[in-house]
Each structure stands twice: as C-alpha cells, then as structure tokens.
Amino acid sequence: GFSGAGKSHFALSFLRNVAKGHKAEEVLMTIIDCDFEGQRELIMRDDIVPPGLRKRIYRKVCSTVEEVNDYVVTFMELHKQHQEEHPDSKARIMVFENEGAFYLMVRDKYSVDVHGQSEADLLLSRQQQAIAQGKKTLPTYEEGQMHAYKVINRMFSDVFHRLKMGGEAYGFHFMSTVLLKKGYENYGQPTQRETITKAGRPDITDPLFDWIVEFDQRQKGRGKELETKHIATVRKSRTCKPFRIENPTQKEFWDAVEVQRKGNGKVKGK
C-alpha cells in the first residue's frame, strides 16, 4: 500500500489478535524497520497495541545492510529461545518494514563495495563520463548490469529466505510491508498513463508469502469533516478466495476470510 494506507497498523493490530489467550511472556514481536515513517507512534497507541504487550515488542531501525543482517541473526535467536521457553505459543511475529528501502540499501552497498562510491555518486560519475565521450548515457555498472544485479538480488533475497525458513523452524508469523509507488508510462506523450508498481523486488519476495494484502486509504470532505475509508484487498491467499473489505477490524477481516474459505456468504465490513 501507499504511505498511510494501514500496512503497519494491520501488522501491529495482528499482535493483539494472536495474543488472545496467551500470557504476556508467551508473546513476542520483533520488527526490523527500514522505514522511519512513525511506527513508534503506532506502537504507543493503546487502541492498536495494549500497554501490557508493548514490552513484548523489540524493534530496531536499520539504515545499512549490515545492521539488517545483524538483527536478522539477533531476532532469530530471540525467537528460537522463545520457542524453547514457550513451545505451545502461537503468538510469535517477525515484521520486516519496507522492502523497497532495503533494496535501495543493498544497491548502495554494492556500489560502495565495488566502485567505492554511493549509487547516486556513481550515476553522476557515469553521466559525466557519457558527456565526455559524446554519448547520451552509459550503463550504471561498467562490469555489466546482468553481473551487478545477480549480486544485488542475491544480497537482497538472502534476508527474506532466511526469515522465511526461520518462521518455519521457530514458529513465528513472518510479515513484510511494501510501498506502492506511482509513475507514468509514455510520460509527456498523448498516450501518457499513470502506473502503480511495488517498490523493491516483488518478483523475488511475493512467491515466499502465503498472503498478499493490499491496503488503500480514501478520503472525502463532508463540510468541516474529513471522512476516511481504509480498504483491504486480499490479492493472494492460500486459504481462501481473494476478496475486498472496507474498514475491517482484525475480527472482521478473519471472519471474512472464513466466509470466503467456506464460500457460504458475502463479506461484511463497516
């Protein structure tokens, strides 16, 4: 979803949902946050995270690939220990915030490791080389795009594969958020049209997940009031048929899943 559409809100409220029937010590949520978009404020809201569960959330804001890799190891060890101490718990969750931001980190790391400068500086340098040679442009990576992206995509995908395997091994729900972004096809031409794509590399990560839920926020003015509608659309599920629901609570969302799974009624939402 776009920024503010409800991705993080859904992930955090999911904690309250799975924690039902569990003691606080039986609950564990870890968050690798590449986002910087105010998740801390959501965690502090009582209507999203009950105060008694707040201490069971471990969150690390990461700005480098090295930090992400370090905290994948650290948080996986936490989940391993938690599974050993609470083998019957169904309330373990790992959240990865903002795949697109992490993908940019990986590209920047490759650029620094191989070329000694950030991707932005490398792009500028290659542009200057192109001008000096009388060309319009040069490929970003002189060693070849195919070679570069094989390395970049491997560095990126390894993290998600490890977390996916960790979820299977240590019994935690693995959730990841992806920003949608707007662009234009045939920009400036009569055939110009708006496009919406996912940040990062969804072709790599989408197959790993059992669910893909797209969130959207729509606002409409009513006099001095602003009416906000949140929409959740299940694009992929291995449990039920795809469906769309407006302003769902966790209970309403999972009730709708059950309806779609059984195929015996219409989805209800506010």
Side-chain angles (χ1 to χ4, degrees):
F2 293 103
S3 178
K7 302 180 301 299
S8 299
H9 187 292
F10 185 87
L12 290 169
S13 62
F14 182 70
L15 173 68
R16 180 196 292 262
N17 192 60
V18 298
K20 291 176 182 177
H22 289 78
K23 297 177 181 178
E25 62 268 22
E26 296 174 333
V27 177
L28 175 65
M29 172 181 266
T30 54
I31 304 170
I32 294 175
D33 190 354
C34 304
D35 202 321
F36 314 108
E37 281 199 0
Q39 196 184 69
R40 181 180 179 277
E41 285 70 23
L42 294 178
I43 293 172
M44 299 306 294
R45 281 175 50 181
D46 293 352
D47 61 318
I48 300 176
V49 179
L53 293 180
R54 206 162 284 144
K55 63 182 179 180
R56 302 304 303 152
I57 298 176
Y58 295 81
R59 170 176 167 262
K60 172 61 180 174
V61 177
C62 298
S63 58
T64 67
V65 174
E66 289 79 9
E67 282 185 322
V68 169
N69 285 327
D70 286 346
Y71 275 86
V72 165
V73 174
T74 299
F75 287 162
M76 291 264 272
E77 183 61 28
L78 273 182
H79 282 283
K80 179 182 178 182
Q81 293 174 6
H82 193 266
Q83 184 195 48
E84 291 170 353
E85 294 168 3
H86 307 284
D88 297 327
S89 173
K90 305 298 183 183
R92 281 184 288 273
I93 306 170
M94 171 78 83
V95 179
F96 193 98
E97 278 279 3
N98 201 328
E99 291 182 15
F102 178 57
Y103 189 63
L104 292 179
M105 287 181 200
V106 172
R107 284 169 48 171
D108 222 35
K109 174 176 170 54
Y110 175 85
S111 185
V112 170
D113 288 351
V114 176
H115 298 280
Q117 53 189 333
S118 69
E119 186 179 37
D121 289 337
L122 178 62
L123 284 168
L124 180 60
S125 174
R126 294 292 281 169
Q127 185 179 41
Q128 291 170 343
Q129 289 179 38
I131 293 171
Q133 296 175 22
K135 299 179 180 178
K136 288 185 178 181
T137 185
L138 286 173
T140 303
Y141 303 110
E142 57 186 340
E143 66 273 26
Q145 301 289 94
M146 184 176 293
H147 168 81
Y149 280 102
K150 277 185 179 179
V151 178
I152 289 169
N153 293 341
R154 177 63 184 271
M155 280 197 289
F156 173 77
S157 63
D158 275 356
V159 164
F160 293 93
H161 288 145
R162 288 164 66 192
L163 290 173
K164 173 74 173 181
M165 292 173 65
E168 297 287 339
Y170 306 132
F172 60 74
H173 301 279
F174 174 32
M175 309 176 78
S176 182
T177 67
V178 184
L179 278 169
L180 294 180
K181 56 183 182 179
K182 289 184 179 179
Y184 292 93
E185 192 176 89
N186 302 323
Y187 184 75
Q189 300 177 27
T191 55
Q192 173 182 313
R193 68 181 186 92
E194 186 178 81
T195 60
I196 296 177
T197 57
K198 299 176 187 176
R201 289 301 303 267
D203 57 315
I204 292 175
T205 55
D206 279 5
L208 298 176
F209 293 93
D210 296 334
W211 295 83
I212 296 176
V213 186
E214 185 176 302
F215 295 92
D216 192 15
Q217 176 183 256
R218 298 178 186 176
Q219 295 180 327
K220 182 169 61 176
R222 289 186 177 273
K224 294 182 179 180
E225 300 295 322
L226 187 63
E227 184 180 280
T228 301
K229 180 188 294 184
H230 288 89
I231 301 166
T233 304
V234 175
R235 298 291 185 192
K236 168 189 171 183
S237 170
R238 292 176 179 158
T239 302
C240 67
K241 295 184 296 184
F243 66 90
R244 179 179 181 272
I245 185 170
E246 296 181 1
N247 295 329
T249 62
Q250 283 285 329
K251 182 179 185 306
E252 288 169 340
F253 181 86
W254 295 107
D255 283 349
V257 168
E258 189 64 14
V259 167
Q260 290 298 92
R261 188 182 70 80
K262 293 179 178 179
N264 60 357
K266 292 185 178 180
V267 170
K268 296 179 181 180
K270 292 181 182 176

